[in-house]
Amino acid sequence: MKIIAMIPARYNASRFPGKLLKDLGGKSVIVRTYESALQTNLFDEVYVVTDSDVIFKEIEKVGGKVIMSKKEHDCGSDRIAEAVEQMDVDIVINVQGDEPFIDKLSLEKLIEAFRLDAKREIDLASLKVQMKAKEEIENPNNVKVITDVNDFAIYFSRSVIPYHRDQSLSATYFKHKGVYAFRKEALMDFYNTPMTPLESVEKIEAIRYLEVGKKIKMIETTVESIGIDTPEDLEKALKLFEDDV
């Protein structure tokens, strides 16, 4: 299988504009993310795909592979799909541009799911992490996922799912981590399908795949993402980076 990583990179993030170009130990966040993806040695190629001239030049400056989006896109899947449409690849991994501390072990698990999928039942693979704190479970910014007995996603929601009606039984809650591994054909089907009804209500792109019949294998991980969504997150990332050096 030919496996590539795609890093979608928007400049105008609503909560923290320009965050991908902020300094993280002498290099920008997006360069750190790109280099971390390369250093995993899991991919045949690593690309940044962006709508920004500034980000394009930033990656070009370090000799990286970067693609400029030709269209406006509402989500990372669409941006990646446009970029890979003419590429000869089998599996595409979506690496978040604002997560420079890449969890290699979780990415290996995603790739292994496809290697073991002899019947080609998996269209996508993604990650879930268990939540225990009540405030985390009830936070609508945390997308929840429920799965069947074979760990295929049944539904994603910003609401609390499952609903814990019978308090005599224990309930387990999982947060969806937005790291995807796609078969190319599933990604292109997504790209060529208009936004679906439940997706538009919940504003969760993974739902579109379910609504058109795709199967999403969920892989459990215990590693929380270290994303940079706010200036405070950047300060935490700087401290973590300094501690690692």
Side-chain angles (χ1 to χ4, degrees), residues 4-8 47-49 67 80 83-84 87 92-95:
I4 66 169
M6 278 281 176
I7 306 172
Y47 298 89
V48 171
V49 54
I67 298 167
I80 290 170
V84 304
M87 290 186 183
V92 183
I93 311 288
N94 177 354
V95 175

Side-chain angles (χ1 to χ4, degrees), residues 64-206:
K65 295 184 177 180
V66 58
I67 298 167
M68 179 68 79
S69 293
K70 297 174 184 174
K71 304 174 185 175
E72 290 293 320
H73 296 293
D74 293 324
C75 66
S77 289
D78 283 335
R79 191 178 304 282
I80 290 170
E82 182 203 305
V84 304
E85 190 167 14
Q86 303 304 322
M87 290 186 183
D88 181 19
V89 298
D90 299 296
I91 306 296
V92 183
I93 311 288
N94 177 354
V95 175
Q96 301 297 311
D98 60 0
E99 294 186 10
F101 303 99
I102 287 176
D103 171 21
K104 180 178 178 179
L105 182 58
S106 293
L107 292 178
E108 285 176 324
K109 288 180 179 179
L110 290 178
I111 293 168
E112 185 66 8
F114 287 101
R115 294 197 191 281
L116 297 174
D117 184 29
K119 295 182 180 179
R120 292 179 64 88
E121 294 177 322
I122 299 171
D123 296 303
L124 292 79
S126 195
L127 299 174
K128 63 178 183 177
V129 61
Q130 188 173 349
M131 297 182 291
K132 295 185 177 178
K134 185 172 184 286
E135 58 272 23
E136 192 178 11
I137 294 167
E138 294 179 349
N139 185 345
N141 291 319
N142 291 332
V143 173
K144 273 66 73 174
V145 59
I146 50 174
T147 62
D148 66 16
V149 293
N150 295 310
D151 283 322
F152 284 100
I154 296 172
Y155 193 61
F156 300 86
S157 183
R158 298 185 185 279
S159 296
V160 178
I161 52 172
Y163 175 72
H164 196 181
R165 181 177 179 181
D166 188 343
Q167 295 294 317
S168 68
L169 301 174
S170 61
T172 305
Y173 297 92
F174 287 99
K175 176 170 64 176
H176 178 218
K177 289 180 65 176
V179 178
Y180 295 97
F182 315 90
R183 289 197 191 277
K184 182 188 173 183
E185 52 266 38
L187 179 60
M188 298 316 302
D189 285 348
F190 176 95
Y191 185 50
N192 293 314
T193 302
M195 186 178 285
T196 49
L198 290 171
E199 176 198 9
S200 63
V201 171
E202 294 251 24
K203 295 295 184 283
I204 300 170
E205 65 183 85

